[in-house]
Amino acid sequence: MSALQIDNRQSDADARYGLADVRAEVLDDHVMTVLVRTTVGVLTAIAVAILVAGVATQNAFGIVGGGLATIMLTTALICMSSVPEKLFNR
């Protein structure tokens, strides 16, 4: 099917999509964002604990694995941080 064959008429379901639905979607998205950030934060704390245990026991696998996991998860948390709207000139 080509792009010209797609019918883009607004359906009845889309016409009834109101402000309450938009608000519910935004709140649902916010809850999921907080959940993901919390999960990655907990995983980062576990990676730091593995790193500390690896250093304490002088275990190379614990040091390297915990260090790499800590770096990756910390980077993920930094990337997920909210960006101020001023950066986008809105």
Side-chain angles (χ1 to χ4, degrees):
M1 175 181 281
S2 71
L4 296 175
Q5 294 172 329
I6 297 174
D7 188 13
N8 288 327
R9 287 182 294 160
Q10 188 177 22
S11 67
D12 292 336
D14 290 339
R16 290 180 291 203
Y17 196 73
L19 186 59
D21 296 326
V22 173
R23 183 172 184 266
E25 288 293 322
V26 168
L27 289 175
D28 185 43
D29 184 49
H30 178 71
V31 169
M32 184 57 71
T33 302
V34 170
L35 180 66
V36 169
R37 287 181 184 169
T38 303
T39 304
V40 174
V42 168
L43 290 174
T44 303
I46 292 170
V48 170
I50 292 171
L51 176 64
V52 169
V55 170
T57 60
Q58 297 179 352
N59 183 354
F61 180 74
I63 294 170
V64 173
L68 289 175
T70 301
I71 291 169
M72 290 187 316
L73 290 170
T74 303
T75 303
L77 276 176
I78 291 170
C79 290
M80 285 190 295
S81 66
S82 60
V83 178
E85 291 181 10
K86 291 181 181 178
L87 293 177
F88 297 111
N89 295 325
R90 290 185 183 177

